[in-house]
Amino acid sequence: MDLAVQIKQQFPHFNAELISEIVQHALEKEVPKDTELLREGQFIKVIPLVLKGVLKVYTKHEDKELLLYYIQPNESCIMSFSAGINNQPSKIYAVTEEDSHLLLIPAEKLSKWTKQFPDFNSLFFLQYNLRYSDLLDTINSLLFEKLDKRVLDYLKEKVAVTQNNPLKISHRQIASELGTAREVISRIIKKLELEGKVKQSATTIEILDL
């Protein structure tokens, strides 16, 4: 499919002039699963627009991660946008959760395009609202929900964004992304299995309670 046509289909509020600018200046790239796109402390060179696939955004302390949100098709990363437009180092990590087709917008274009194209601005206002809601959900989950519910909700969300069930995922990965110990996750997964909510094999976990 012609790139301009695809952009128009996935970002229908973009006008023709903005689409022409994106086609001219953005880098179209296929990025394999588990590729690190951004790390904490790195200055932003490009901002991703996701055409296909899923990106995972998280923060990290020592050997523990905390999942912040996923970026799905027709979305972008507001935290990368904020750091890029202000020429500040990243406060987050971003990695491809699935094989992804991305448009990489040069950070040097952000200031000009936000002034020139209101429809470009509107994309990031929408992303801000989405991510703000995601972060509130994460905080509420950390403060008020039991860990077994957090684990089940985490697995359900991963199924929803990747469209894979069963999930090929380890207890160690779940523990890392939820900021807890592998042994704790193993106990919770066994409990969820006994309750008939999940089914696990040596390498996968299937969600039965969708």
Side-chain angles (χ1 to χ4, degrees), residues 6 12 47 67 69 73 76 81 86-87 99 103 106 118 122 131 147 151 156 162 176 182:
Q6 185 172 5
I47 310 298
L67 175 67
Y69 52 82
S76 187
F81 174 83
N86 292 302
N87 194 31
D99 293 343
L103 275 177
S122 66
R131 301 294 80 97
L147 189 54
V151 170
K156 287 180 177 180
T162 64
S176 176
R182 180 188 59 78

Side-chain angles (χ1 to χ4, degrees), residues 15 31 61 64 116 124 169 199:
N15 67 31
V31 183
H61 179 68
K64 292 184 178 179
Q116 186 176 355
F124 289 98
I169 191 170
K199 179 181 179 181

Side-chain angles (χ1 to χ4, degrees), residues 39 70 146 198:
R39 60 173 41 244
Y70 294 104
K146 293 182 178 180
V198 305

Side-chain angles (χ1 to χ4, degrees), residues 73-90:
N74 312 336
E75 296 180 354
S76 187
C77 180
I78 188 61
M79 296 185 77
S80 297
F81 174 83
S82 176
I85 203 167
N86 292 302
N87 194 31
Q88 295 175 339
S90 171

Side-chain angles (χ1 to χ4, degrees), residues 97-109:
E97 181 78 4
E98 299 287 323
D99 293 343
S100 298
H101 182 192
L102 308 178
L103 275 177
L104 303 178
I105 306 293
E108 63 191 30
K109 295 293 181 183

Side-chain angles (χ1 to χ4, degrees), residues 181-196:
R182 180 188 59 78
E183 294 81 5
V184 173
I185 294 300
S186 295
R187 288 198 298 270
I188 289 174
I189 295 295
K190 184 63 177 177
K191 177 176 179 285
L192 293 173
E193 189 171 34
L194 291 172
E195 292 173 352

